[in-house]
């Protein structure tokens, strides 16, 4: 420790590797336990993520007070060994990511319980999710480029598993796109690491600034561009973003939420770190600004064209990455500070919106805006939970989205360049179009009258939850027997059968399987009950209109219900409140991001903390 | 760094051919491409370690430390090989699953993308049909308008005709009524004449036998 942090700081330095190690240990433990001991397993996951959150908070406070916390892995000092560094930026990212991952975990536990689908989440989802958290933490804490690469790989390998969980055809297709693109970016990253090592003889980030500054201009620029390309793929910046909307929406809601919130921001974090620490002086600011502008506009125009809520949100994700790249491109203290604030805000809000999309899917069986409708009256809490983060994302004044955008726009105007002004205009236009896209989604899904699909899906699958399948089948058999008797017994019977109808019909609504059985003997029943068959026929005609979704962990069609699980709603609301906290605590938060930006741009605190001990 | 050119050329060729194979559709070809790219990049990283030297193992009493090969790129490569192996295993599993489900391991186009494109095409087609419909409706309305006017003319003609007929009937009615009244008067006159024949006839009274 350079600054003489005292005993508190020394304790904190020991805590630095915990956000990586704890989830990895828990993942190993869970693989051993398998699909048994459900309660214990849920407790382990939640407790570990809670511990990571606490550790991250301690690290943030310590890093803010005593400077960057450094830990040598294996006791080898920096030029040879691997270092883990937690400065203000890393610790802030850790806090946000652990808070978000904890909420998403609680949500996913609720979803698994609601789907009666415990085996897949426990044996596959939880370990992969914990490995993902470890990878994300490792990326934030990595003190050298190669460790950053390893962190990316841990995260990516876990994300391949999470994206293809259940192994349905749609998810394999999405996973293939995602895996191939990510694989290419990883290979490019490894190449970049090789180039850096060949040019400087080190990959320790604290050692690199001095050595990169001595390099010829061209070599440095090549390294910078390759690294930016790699992180651009990860962060889904415009020309490299086409993979994202194709691959994210098919995954289960918690997976999509955490991917959208965290994985792209990991790319932004890496950009922020390398642009400030390794390549000061901002030599390719113009390129970054153009990329940011294109990202903003193309992304939001894509969002406007979508008819599916999840894809719409994916495109806004691509678009809003442009805001952060804009801040990085400015490379002024205000710009970097605005970018950091925006990253924190965007992680939370984007995750919340995807979780709400998952809840909408649970209520109505689809996220297709054309078949949604009337959710304000059907599920008022859901409407509030969607409205607040949506307005936050669009940047309506009192909310944190507005504050983040305002900070960036002010930084852009302070910069004063022509391109910066163009970007300010583009960013304003983008927020307006975001508002348009989200208001469109709001109008279609929440405000118009409920579509026929909404009520039909709700009622049909509600009864499916109430009656067990065996009972439904039995009732069905009796009913058909009575129908056959009625025809043979002559005109005296149909009235009696008519009286029995309601009793037999209720379990009939049990599900598609029951209809399939009833459809066969129905016509043979002759005049048994024309009214009954008519009603059945109508229901069957509605069924194919419902689009098949693959939203559960196992990849089956989701079971919709009017009562949403408490833990899912609770975690979503917690995230909404967490998003609002950025508004309430905007003052201290901006103070922190400004100190973090100052630390990043000064470079010496980081370098000294690692090298001079 | 003074390495051998062969490593760099070999790595470059592997990298390029691997990238080309990554662009293919079948997952098995992508898998082979990933393996090639991974090995190519490993060779490139190895090339950064400079000239070959002794194994980087520090036994007690090792004297030739200056001739030791750079161990760091080797550590990079070992890590990267493990990672590539894991990814290869994952891609194999994914290709097998894809083949199991759909009978092929091609990566298909995104359905939602196609839907959006179709929606645009559908909107264009609808616009075209709407334009045609509007033109047709315009023609039809013109026709209908003409028809209406003609009907209206006919209608007024009928009305005029009807009025004339009513007038004629009215006249005829009046004429007939007058004729009836005249006949009645005449009849009454004749009646009175017959009744008062001989007794109360004024002419008789006046003229008497001169009549």
């Amino acid at each position: 420790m350079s600054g003489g942090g005292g005993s508190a700081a020394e304790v904190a330095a020991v805590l630095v590797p915990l956000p990586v190690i704890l989830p990895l240990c828990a993942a190993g433990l869970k693989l051993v336990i398998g699909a048994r001991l459900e309660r214990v397993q849920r407790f382990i996951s939640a407790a570990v993520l809670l511990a990571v959150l606490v550790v991250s908070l301690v690290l943030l406070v310590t890093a803010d007070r005593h400077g960057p916390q450094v830990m040598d892995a294996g006791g080898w000092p920096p030029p040879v060994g691997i270092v883990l560094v937690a400065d203000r930026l890393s610790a802030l990212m850790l806090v946000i990511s652990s808070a978000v991952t904890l909420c998403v975990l609680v949500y996913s536990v609720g979803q698994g319980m609601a789907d009666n689908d415990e085996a897949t989440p426990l044996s596959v989802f939880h370990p992969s999710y914990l490995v993902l958290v470890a990878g994300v933490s490792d990326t934030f804490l990595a003190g050298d480029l190669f460790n950053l690469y390893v962190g990316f790989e841990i995260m990516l390998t876990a994300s391949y598993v999470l994206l293809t969980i259940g192994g349905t055809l749609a998810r394999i297709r999405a996973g293939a796109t995602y895996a191939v693109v990510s694989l290419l970016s990883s290979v490019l990253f490894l190449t970049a690491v090789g180039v850096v090592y060949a040019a400087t003889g080190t990959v320790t980030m604290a050692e690199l600034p001095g050595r990169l500054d001595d390099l010829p201009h061209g070599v440095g620029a090549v390294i910078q561009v390759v690294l930016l390309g790699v992180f651009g793929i990860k962060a889904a910046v415009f020309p490299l973003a086409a993979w994202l909307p194709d691959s994210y929406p098919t995954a289960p809601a918690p997976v999509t939420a955490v991917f959208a919130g965290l994985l792209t921001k990991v790319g932004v974090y890496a950009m922020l770190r390398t642009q400030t620490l390794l390549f000061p002086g901002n030599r390719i600011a113009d390129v970054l600004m153009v990329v940011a502008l294109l990202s903003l506009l193309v992304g939001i125009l894509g969002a406007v064209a979508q008819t599916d809520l999840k894809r719409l949100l994916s495109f806004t994700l691509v678009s809003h990455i442009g805001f952060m790249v804009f801040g990085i491109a400015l490379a002024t203290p205000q710009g970097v500070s605005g970018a950091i604030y925006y990253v924190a805000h965007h992680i939370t809000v984007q995750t919340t919106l995807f979780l709400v999309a998952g809840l909408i899917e649970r209520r109505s069986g689809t996220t297709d805006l054309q078949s949604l409708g009337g959710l304000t009256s059907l599920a008022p809490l859901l409407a509030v939970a969607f409205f607040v983060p949506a307005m936050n994302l669009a940047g309506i004044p009192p909310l944190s989205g507005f504050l983040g955008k305002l900070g960036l726009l002010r930084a852009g105007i302070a910069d004063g360049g022509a391109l910066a002004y163009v970007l300010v205009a583009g960013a304003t236009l983008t927020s307006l179009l975001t508002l348009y896209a989200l208001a469109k989604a709001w109008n279609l899904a929440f405000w118009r009258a409920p579509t026929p699909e909404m009520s039909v899906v709700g009622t049909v699958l509600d009864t499916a939850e109430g009656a067990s399948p065996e009972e439904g089948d039995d009732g069905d058999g009796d009913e058909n027997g009575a129908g056959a008797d009625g025809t043979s017994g002559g005109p005296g019977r149909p009235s009696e059968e008519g009286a029995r109808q309601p009793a037999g019909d209720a379990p009939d609504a049990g599900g598609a399987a029951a209809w399939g059985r009833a459809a066969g003997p129905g016509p043979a029943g002759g005049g048994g009950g024309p009214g009954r068959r008519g009603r059945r026929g109508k229901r069957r005609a509605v069924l194919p209109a419902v689009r098949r979704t693959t939203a559960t962990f196992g990849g089956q069609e989701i079971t919709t219900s009017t009562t949403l699980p408490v833990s899912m709603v609770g975690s979503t609301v917690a995230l909404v409140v967490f998003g609002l906290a950025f508004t309430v605590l905007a003052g201290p938060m901006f103070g922190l991001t400004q100190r973090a930006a100052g630390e990043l741009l000064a470079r010496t605190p980081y370098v000294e903390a690692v090298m001079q001990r | 760094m003074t390495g051998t050119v062969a490593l760099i050329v070999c790595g470059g060729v592997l990298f390029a051919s691997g990238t080309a194979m990554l662009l293919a559709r079948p997952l098995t070809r992508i898998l082979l491409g990933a393996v090639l790219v991974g090995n190519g990049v490993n060779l490139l990283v190895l090339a950064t370690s400079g000239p070959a030297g002794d194994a980087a193992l520090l036994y007690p009493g090792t004297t030739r430390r200056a001739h030791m090969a750079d161990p760091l790129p080797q550590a990079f490569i070992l890590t990267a090989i493990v990672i590539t192996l894991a990814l290869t295993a994952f891609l194999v599993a994914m290709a097998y699953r894809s083949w199991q489900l759909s009978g092929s391991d091609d990566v298909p186009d995104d359905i939602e993308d196609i839907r959006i494109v179709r929606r645009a095409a559908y909107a264009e087609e609808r616009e075209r049909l709407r334009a045609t419909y509007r033109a047709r409706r315009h023609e039809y309305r013109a026709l209908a308008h003409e028809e209406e006017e003609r009907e209206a003319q006919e209608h007024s003609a009928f009305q005029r005709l009807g009025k004339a007929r009513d007038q004629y009937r009215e006249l005829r009615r009046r004429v007939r009524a007058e004729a009836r009244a005249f006949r009645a008067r005449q009849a009454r006159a004749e009646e009175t004449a017959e009744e008062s024949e001989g007794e109360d006839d004024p002419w008789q009274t006046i003229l008497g036998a001169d009549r």
Side-chain angles (χ1 to χ4, degrees):
Chain A
M1 223 100 344
S2 63
S7 62
E10 269 161 33
V11 171
V14 178
L15 294 179
V16 170
L18 287 186
V20 185
I21 290 176
L22 284 180
L24 278 182
C25 287
L29 197 60
K30 285 169 147 305
L31 284 177
V32 172
I33 300 176
R36 291 163 288 173
L37 300 174
E38 293 165 13
R39 279 159 183 273
V40 178
Q41 290 221 44
R42 281 186 214 125
F43 174 75
I44 293 175
S45 304
V48 160
L49 289 182
L50 195 63
V52 171
L53 177 60
V54 172
V55 167
S56 310
L57 277 170
V58 172
L59 280 178
L60 179 61
V61 173
T62 328
D64 194 28
R65 289 201 184 140
H66 305 294
Q69 303 299 307
V70 184
M71 197 265 175
D72 303 331
W76 293 84
V80 182
I82 294 167
V83 282
L84 296 175
V85 187
D87 64 349
R88 289 194 184 104
L89 175 63
S90 304
L92 178 64
M93 293 279 104
L94 275 179
V95 170
I96 308 284
S97 78
S98 47
V100 164
T101 45
L102 179 62
C103 284
V104 173
L105 182 90
V106 174
Y107 182 98
S108 72
V109 166
Q111 170 156 359
M113 292 201 296
D115 290 339
N116 288 323
D117 180 18
E118 282 297 310
T120 317
L122 284 181
S123 56
V124 184
F125 176 77
H126 281 224
S128 317
Y129 187 76
L130 288 169
V131 171
L132 182 88
V133 173
V136 171
S137 305
D138 191 31
T139 316
F140 288 148
L141 289 172
D144 65 282
L145 276 182
F146 194 77
N147 199 14
L148 189 66
Y149 165 77
V150 173
F152 265 78
E153 286 303 318
I154 296 174
M155 183 182 90
L156 286 178
T157 312
S159 71
Y160 300 149
V161 177
L162 288 176
L163 200 69
T164 53
I165 200 166
T168 58
L169 198 55
R171 285 191 189 159
I172 292 288
R173 187 206 62 71
T177 313
Y178 178 75
V180 172
V181 173
S182 305
L183 197 146
L184 193 62
S185 84
S186 311
V187 168
L188 274 178
F189 197 0
L190 191 57
T191 318
V193 170
V195 173
V196 169
Y197 189 73
T200 62
T202 182
V203 288
T204 305
M205 281 205 252
E207 251 187 330
L208 278 172
R211 300 202 187 178
L212 280 173
D213 290 351
D214 296 339
L215 282 182
H217 187 87
V219 179
V222 167
I223 295 172
Q224 190 177 10
V225 167
V226 174
L227 282 178
L228 268 183
V230 173
F231 301 144
I233 295 177
K234 283 319 308 152
V237 176
F238 161 60
L240 309 168
W243 57 271
L244 191 146
D246 285 0
S247 53
Y248 277 9
T250 41
V255 173
T256 317
V258 80
F259 278 23
L262 276 181
L263 261 52
T264 48
K265 306 311 178 302
V266 168
V268 175
Y269 163 82
M271 263 190 196
L272 202 54
R273 176 69 75 197
T274 50
Q275 286 302 300
T276 51
L277 185 64
L278 305 188
F279 308 102
N282 209 17
R283 283 189 298 227
I284 55 168
D286 291 351
V287 179
L288 277 180
M289 289 222 192
V290 170
V291 163
L293 183 67
L294 288 175
S295 230
L296 282 168
L297 293 179
V298 174
I300 201 64
L301 290 178
V304 168
Q306 299 304 314
T307 56
D308 183 271
L309 184 60
K310 282 185 177 177
R311 282 178 66 91
L312 189 152
L313 291 175
S314 304
F315 272 97
T316 59
L317 171 62
V318 172
S319 169
H320 284 227
I321 296 292
F323 281 109
M324 300 160 218
V325 177
F326 176 39
I328 296 170
L330 287 172
T332 55
Q334 298 106 311
V336 174
S337 153
I340 296 172
Y341 185 84
Y342 206 87
V343 170
H345 143 82
H346 200 248
I347 289 177
T348 317
V349 167
Q350 199 76 45
T351 309
T352 319
L353 280 173
F354 271 105
L355 289 187
V356 175
L359 285 177
I360 291 176
E361 197 164 42
R362 178 153 300 277
R363 173 62 188 77
S364 55
T366 177
T367 52
D368 185 26
L369 290 172
Q370 283 165 336
S371 31
L372 286 174
L375 279 172
T376 323
S377 50
L378 297 175
L381 183 62
L382 202 54
V384 175
F386 178 81
F387 187 74
V388 174
M391 290 303 110
N392 205 343
L393 185 69
I396 294 299
L399 299 167
S400 58
F402 170 74
L403 300 174
K405 288 184 178 87
L406 186 69
L408 284 170
L409 295 188
R410 283 174 70 177
I413 289 169
D415 180 79
L419 207 49
Y421 273 109
V422 172
L423 255 161
V424 166
T428 318
L429 181 65
T430 303
S431 358
L432 286 177
L433 283 174
T434 310
L435 185 60
Y436 167 73
L438 289 171
K440 193 181 84 173
W442 167 262
N443 281 346
L444 288 176
F446 290 91
W447 251 0
R448 65 172 167 172
T451 52
E453 286 106 321
M454 296 285 296
S455 51
V456 167
V457 173
T459 47
V460 166
L461 292 169
D462 253 358
T463 41
E465 271 190 346
S468 72
E470 291 85 357
E471 278 172 15
D473 281 349
D474 286 347
D476 203 30
D478 289 347
E479 165 76 5
N480 289 325
D485 285 350
T487 355
S488 56
R493 298 293 296 275
S495 65
E496 187 199 335
E497 206 227 359
R500 290 184 55 167
Q501 257 185 38
D505 216 18
D508 250 7
W515 292 338
R517 289 187 42 159
R532 188 190 78 213
R533 270 214 313 283
R535 256 185 294 155
R536 256 189 216 154
K538 205 164 69 188
R539 283 218 197 105
R540 222 177 310 140
V542 165
L543 186 69
V546 178
R547 280 184 60 206
R548 295 189 70 80
T549 47
T550 52
T552 62
F553 287 114
Q556 295 93 9
E557 206 165 340
I558 207 156
T559 315
T560 63
S561 69
T562 44
T563 50
L564 300 167
V566 178
S567 57
M568 293 174 78
V569 176
S571 51
T572 312
V573 169
L575 265 184
V576 171
V577 173
F578 187 55
L580 288 178
F582 289 123
T583 311
V584 180
L585 302 175
M589 184 78 188
F590 258 111
L592 179 65
T593 58
Q594 265 157 15
R595 287 196 297 280
E599 188 181 63
L600 282 179
L601 291 170
R603 303 208 287 165
T604 41
Y606 189 96
V607 173
E608 279 172 5
V610 177
M611 300 310 293
Q612 297 173 4
R613 281 176 304 149
Chain B
M1 144 203 147
T2 49
T4 150
V5 180
L7 269 185
I8 297 175
V9 170
C10 190
V13 169
L14 282 180
F15 199 110
S17 40
T19 311
M21 284 179 86
L22 279 184
L23 298 175
R25 265 182 193 264
L27 271 173
T28 37
R29 280 186 76 81
I30 292 175
L31 168 75
L32 290 177
V35 171
L36 285 187
V37 165
N39 288 332
V41 82
N42 285 343
L43 285 185
L44 291 180
V45 173
L46 189 62
T48 65
S49 64
D54 293 344
L57 294 170
L58 294 175
Y59 295 112
T62 311
T63 49
R64 288 157 52 86
R65 279 196 192 184
H67 301 282
M68 209 170 72
D70 188 354
L72 210 50
Q74 299 180 7
F76 292 166
I77 292 171
L78 280 176
T79 316
I81 287 173
V82 173
I83 292 170
T84 316
L85 180 68
L87 287 186
T88 311
F90 183 78
L91 278 177
V92 170
M94 206 155 69
Y96 177 69
R97 180 70 177 157
S98 174
W99 172 80
Q100 199 181 24
L101 286 175
S102 68
S104 94
D105 64 345
D106 284 5
V107 180
D109 287 331
D110 188 51
I111 299 167
E112 196 71 16
D113 277 353
I114 297 171
R115 216 162 73 91
I116 298 270
V117 170
R118 291 239 174 102
R119 204 157 64 95
Y122 163 74
E124 269 169 28
E125 179 70 12
R126 192 178 54 181
E127 203 45 52
R128 202 178 58 73
L129 286 176
R130 270 190 184 162
T132 324
Y133 166 71
R134 259 186 241 118
R136 292 258 170 86
R137 192 179 55 181
H138 191 72
E139 277 172 26
Y140 170 77
R141 282 205 177 146
L143 274 179
H145 189 67
E146 266 175 32
E147 186 85 357
E148 248 170 39
E149 271 187 355
R150 210 158 47 79
E151 267 179 18
Q153 273 174 3
E154 273 175 15
H155 186 67
S156 66
F158 269 123
Q159 266 184 341
R160 275 203 302 277
L161 202 62
K163 214 180 277 176
R165 192 181 55 203
D166 288 348
Q167 277 171 354
Y168 161 74
R169 281 188 181 154
E170 177 67 26
L171 273 177
R172 193 177 60 181
R173 200 172 53 78
R174 225 182 284 159
V175 166
R176 280 188 181 165
E178 271 173 23
R180 248 194 325 274
F182 176 72
R183 273 200 301 276
R185 255 201 326 275
Q186 213 172 16
R188 208 162 43 237
E190 273 173 22
E191 213 171 89
T192 28
E194 273 170 28
E195 268 174 20
S196 61
E197 202 170 349
E199 42 174 273
D200 217 15
D201 190 3
W203 296 108
Q204 188 74 27
T205 326
I206 296 162
L207 296 177
D210 292 343
R211 201 172 84 161

